[in-house]
Amino acid sequence: MDEALKIQALRRQLETYAREYYIQDAPTVTDQEYDRLMHELQALEAAHPELADPNSPTQRVIGAVLPGFEKYSHGQRMLSLGDIFSRQELEEFVARIRKEYPDAQFVAECKYDGLAMALHYENGRFIRAVTRGDGMTGEVVSANVRTIRSIPMYIDEPGFVEVRGEVYMPKKSFETLNELQTTLHLPLFANPRNAAAGSIRNLDTSVAASRNLDIFLYWYQNGPEHGIRTQSQALQAMQELGFPVNMDVSVCDTVDEIWAFIEKTGAQRASLPYEIDGVVIKVNSLEQEAALGLNAKTPRYAIAYKFPAQEVQTTLDDIFLTIGRTGVATPNAVLTPVRVAGTLVSAASLHNEDLIRDRDLRIGDTVIVRKAGDIIPEVIASVKERRTGSQIPYVFPKTCPVCGSELIRLEGEADHFCTNPDCPAQVLGSLIHFVSREAMNIDGLGEKKMAQLHEAHLLDTIPDIYHLAEKRQDVLALRGWSDKGFDKLLANIDASRQRPLADLLFGLGIRLVGKKAASLLADSFGSMDAVMAADQETLAAVKFIGRTTAESLTTWFAQPANRQLLAALKDAGLNMTQEKKEAAPADSFFAGKTVVLTGTLTGMSRSEAKKLLESLGATVAGSVSKKTSLVIYGENAGSKLAKARDLGVETMPEETFLAEAGHAA
Ligand code: IVH
């Protein structure tokens, strides 16, 4: 029995030494002494296999491949927080609580951007780590979490302890990891959060062990059972038990104090060694917390303030043009790579000549870059004070960089176009669009294969797709083709002849005719011939088809080349008709609105909500812009909701949408 005690003492001793060494950077013993004790423990454990413990310092970094992750039902749901984006919303949050507790105090903490984790201990021993999962049920990832060195496996607290926190990957480790991925020709991780989550969910524990993950604990789930009365005490107690806790928090009595913490933290954000995306504000008293309870899905006692899109400075090194499938010439910024909101940005679309002029962007300028909705990088301005005189104003090229033809800009339009309908960039682009999943959905003609066939002149035009069978020998002579593969492709091409009229209309790539417009046109005209015969008035009379779209359609159908194209497709046996359908009722609240769905919907699936909205006459879009009329949000809505609020776009919680839709339907 003596030896069992000895083993236990050694494990704790070594854990303390390791923490001093790795975490506090202040070793109190020499490496030799540490190694000696480690060997002693290894020898004792080898002699007593019955005392084996996966928490032992001898086991923590050894890799094992797991068969899978067990599921675990959280005793108490792991909640997510409601988001706010302004001081006004903060004031409202504080006022709501003050109504019930006039003297309420708050704790403001960083909102770490990683993945939530619950750690369980039983009589001082670590027993499991569970991910958030859907909030009710998570996955047991103890083996991977054991590789996080800063987490104590032994704590001085009897009974059951559950603490919660955020596992994250420090910015430095993330950069090193992506450098390694580059060297190994492996895909890069988009941001530290994804990298951390991927590591924790890897079945090979040596992966997590190599990823240098860390954790901050911010929640003592069953603190009250251990005499904890406030959130600030909880943080203190967790730190004393040996957990990594960020004590740079602020206990606040007023909105001003909370706001000061938000501003201070926002200013430090870029220089912190880990990613944060906001500040969490919690009621300090746990008694008040318990009494305040929950809204439908999120706590009433805590809220997350999200920082606005991050802005950084970098250099505009160059501007180059790309030619799209409709011939539009888009200028793009080449930027000195810079990290924005967690990802590396080295390019951004500049959209058109006017934007470059309005924002006064010159090559060599220091520019301000941010992520619109935290996703798409955008160059918002140049920093005039940083000009040295060597910056060069951008002159929009007169010729297409792909085919050398003239680029023109029509009156009243912002875009330049390549005037050559046979421009390879356009031709290939339109071929790729035609076969894409949303259009004719021809599997087996990916971009690479398409480019290969196009280059070999086996696919010069869209109708050539339907004559590919005649070119079997030529195709098989190319790299990467087999009889079997070719037959499969022919079968897919054949099947595409029956695709709905709307898909064909969309596949033609007529400017401004997206999926939605194509389906409205197909529904109200019932055949390609009828669409072609319609004049601008008739087209614009279709609900939700605007004047410009109508004009784009008549212009397209008027071109002899396009009429020939359609005749050739008809000859090739493509379906050109469908039954006419009634248009959606125009009197619903949603009719004519461009709606964006965001967050997790609980009442129905995303695609059901989309269908419902479309049946009520709305167009459902994927991203928020000034043109968005309404954003409907579910749980955990993030950047899209933030952007909508930034832009002053109307927002609506899911419940209201369901109620409205119910009335209207
Ligand atoms: S407290 C009921 N504190 O943000 C309180 N959460 O949407 C539970 N997070 O799921 C969370 N930093 O993963 C809390 N200092 C912090 C946090 C934090 C990051 C995460 C957590 C949670 C999400 C909220």
Side-chain angles (χ1 to χ4, degrees), residues 415-621:
D415 291 327
H416 282 74
F417 284 91
C418 169
T419 45
N420 173 11
D422 298 324
C423 171
Q426 287 187 57
V427 175
L428 184 58
S430 39
L431 281 165
I432 290 171
H433 173 72
F434 185 82
V435 302
S436 67
R437 179 148 350 128
E438 298 244 69
M440 299 302 274
N441 192 19
I442 303 181
D443 222 21
L445 267 186
E447 287 191 23
K448 278 207 186 104
K449 285 257 178 317
M450 188 62 109
Q452 183 195 33
L453 295 173
H454 185 59
E455 209 160 288
H457 288 293
L458 297 172
L459 277 186
D460 287 330
T461 66
I462 290 174
D464 287 348
I465 296 172
Y466 295 95
H467 296 285
L468 207 57
E470 299 149 30
K471 300 178 184 154
R472 174 181 286 269
Q473 290 320 318
D474 297 325
V475 175
L476 290 180
L478 299 173
R479 262 181 89 113
W481 287 94
S482 67
D483 265 310
K484 211 169 131 205
F486 189 64
D487 285 337
K488 228 184 192 164
L489 174 61
L490 290 183
N492 293 339
I493 290 175
D494 194 36
S496 79
R497 289 184 163 93
Q498 298 314 317
R499 292 283 290 178
L501 175 61
D503 294 344
L504 175 59
L505 257 169
F506 173 64
L508 294 173
I510 303 168
R511 211 162 70 84
L512 302 177
V513 181
K515 281 292 282 179
K516 184 74 204 167
S519 119
L520 290 167
L521 290 165
D523 285 350
S524 64
F525 289 97
S527 76
M528 186 66 84
D529 287 339
V531 182
M532 181 154 61
D535 60 14
Q536 261 183 49
E537 293 300 300
T538 322
L539 289 165
V542 176
K543 226 165 268 157
F544 314 124
I545 297 286
R547 289 244 131 246
T548 27
T549 308
E551 194 182 328
S552 166
L553 279 158
T554 49
T555 313
W556 194 90
F557 282 109
Q559 307 262 337
N562 293 334
R563 288 179 168 259
Q564 274 165 25
L565 164 66
L566 286 175
L569 291 179
K570 216 183 231 177
D571 280 349
L574 269 70
N575 166 45
M576 302 254 169
T577 58
Q578 73 158 58
E579 245 172 68
K580 284 199 200 184
K581 284 188 201 140
E582 281 299 307
D587 56 356
S588 97
F589 172 82
F590 302 96
K593 293 206 157 104
T594 305
V595 181
V596 173
L597 292 163
T598 185
T600 313
L601 303 182
T602 48
M604 60 175 69
S605 74
R606 195 53 89 98
S607 62
E608 283 167 340
K610 184 166 185 271
K611 276 203 197 112
L612 175 58
L613 280 164
E614 283 174 351
S615 76
L616 296 169
T619 306
V620 179

Side-chain angles (χ1 to χ4, degrees), residues 79-81 109-112 116 132 166 218-219 280 282 299 301 636:
L79 298 162
S80 58
L81 300 172
E109 309 168 4
C110 287
K111 184 172 190 301
Y112 314 104
R132 176 173 185 273
E166 200 85 353
Y218 47 63
W219 195 251
V280 177
K282 304 171 182 170
Y301 50 81
N636 284 326

Side-chain angles (χ1 to χ4, degrees), residues 64-360:
V65 177
L66 311 168
F69 296 115
E70 257 176 67
K71 294 261 187 278
Y72 185 89
S73 222
H74 294 290
Q76 297 284 330
R77 269 188 69 172
M78 274 182 92
L79 298 162
S80 58
L81 300 172
D83 289 334
I84 56 170
F85 301 87
S86 63
R87 179 170 169 135
Q88 196 198 326
E89 287 172 296
L90 173 66
E91 281 167 6
E92 289 163 11
F93 167 74
V94 170
R96 273 200 302 277
I97 289 171
R98 283 274 149 81
K99 224 158 88 188
E100 287 168 57
Y101 298 102
D103 62 342
Q105 256 195 344
F106 300 87
V107 181
E109 309 168 4
C110 287
K111 184 172 190 301
Y112 314 104
D113 198 8
L115 70 152
M117 190 69 67
L119 306 179
H120 294 178
Y121 293 76
E122 190 73 63
N123 290 325
R125 280 190 73 235
F126 169 78
I127 51 168
R128 74 176 71 80
V130 192
T131 62
R132 176 173 185 273
D134 64 2
M136 310 282 269
T137 310
E139 286 178 321
V140 179
V141 290
S142 316
N144 283 336
V145 166
R146 275 197 192 92
T147 69
I148 303 174
R149 291 199 159 261
S150 56
I151 299 180
M153 293 291 110
Y154 307 98
I155 59 171
D156 273 323
E157 186 66 33
F160 178 72
V161 167
E162 173 168 352
V163 289
R164 293 178 179 180
E166 200 85 353
V167 170
Y168 66 91
M169 182 177 287
K171 288 179 188 170
K172 260 238 157 63
S173 316
F174 172 71
E175 273 157 29
T176 316
L177 172 62
N178 263 353
E179 278 163 23
L180 182 68
Q181 295 287 106
T182 309
T183 319
L184 300 175
H185 299 288
L186 291 170
L188 299 187
F189 290 96
N191 54 49
R193 174 162 35 85
N194 289 355
S199 313
I200 285 293
R201 301 210 61 255
N202 203 302
L203 288 171
D204 179 351
T205 60
S206 67
V207 171
S210 71
R211 292 277 170 85
N212 199 16
L213 301 173
D214 211 332
I215 192 170
F216 277 128
L217 281 305
Y218 47 63
W219 195 251
Y220 197 154
Q221 180 63 33
N222 66 338
E225 294 165 24
H226 296 268
I228 306 293
R229 317 262 321 247
T230 63
Q231 168 65 6
S232 44
Q233 262 180 21
L235 294 172
Q236 186 69 38
M238 289 190 292
Q239 188 182 46
E240 280 163 14
L241 288 174
F243 291 106
V245 175
N246 181 1
M247 294 305 280
D248 189 9
V249 301
S250 174
V251 179
C252 305
D253 286 302
T254 62
V255 171
D256 279 341
E257 286 170 17
I258 300 173
W259 193 250
F261 182 82
I262 289 176
E263 290 196 319
K264 181 194 92 168
T265 310
Q268 291 172 342
R269 182 180 183 191
S271 55
L272 291 174
Y274 42 82
E275 293 287 350
I276 60 170
D277 59 350
V279 166
V280 177
I281 302 109
K282 304 171 182 170
V283 168
N284 198 14
S285 153
L286 300 187
E287 200 180 312
Q288 292 173 5
E289 176 226 293
L292 282 159
L294 309 183
N295 290 321
K297 291 278 147 49
T298 54
R300 294 176 64 217
Y301 50 81
I303 205 139
Y305 170 87
K306 292 282 199 73
F307 291 130
Q310 208 179 312
E311 293 178 4
V312 299
Q313 296 193 359
T314 187
T315 318
L316 174 59
D317 294 324
D318 201 359
I319 295 176
F320 69 96
L321 287 186
T322 47
I323 308 293
R325 70 178 159 80
T326 51
V328 174
T330 307
N332 301 279
V334 179
L335 303 165
T336 299
V338 66
R339 174 189 276 288
V340 196
T343 51
L344 210 59
V345 170
S346 55
S349 171
L350 296 174
H351 302 288
N352 55 49
E353 184 179 26
D354 292 350
L355 182 142
I356 299 174
R357 198 198 45 230
D358 294 349
R359 299 188 184 174
D360 189 13

